[in-house]
Amino acid sequence: MLNRKRNGGKDKAMEELARQFVGKECIIYTVTSTDSSIQGTVKDVTDGGIVLEKDGNVEAVNLEYVTRIREYPRNAKGKKKTIVF
């Protein structure tokens, strides 16, 4: 609770930004991720977290560790582009 008071509402701003990606396939970059990014479809954004689904598996990511959210890039024909991390 003390951390939220010190933040001054920064968590709420990131939460509102993350809500724009609900239902879209995204790449989420985190501070602590071992492979530097997490891919999946954003299912829900809750208080301090994002719920992702990929291949039928559900995963939750803490918003405090998210540095960047990006919609999966596609080419002009709608196919997924290959991404080099």
Side-chain angles (χ1 to χ4, degrees), residues 7-48:
N7 263 344
K10 290 180 186 176
D11 287 341
K12 294 293 179 187
M14 185 61 166
E15 191 174 312
E16 290 302 317
L17 291 171
R19 287 188 198 279
Q20 296 176 3
F21 295 99
V22 172
K24 297 180 182 177
E25 190 171 0
C26 296
I27 304 168
I28 298 177
Y29 299 91
T30 62
V31 175
T32 60
S33 180
T34 56
D35 58 353
S36 75
S37 67
I38 303 166
Q39 297 179 12
T41 304
V42 177
K43 291 297 179 185
D44 191 21
V45 178
T46 60
D47 292 334

Side-chain angles (χ1 to χ4, degrees), residues 70-82:
R70 171 180 165 190
E71 191 172 350
Y72 204 96
R74 298 186 180 272
N75 65 13
K77 294 182 180 180
K79 290 181 140 183
K80 289 183 184 179
K81 288 184 180 180
T82 55

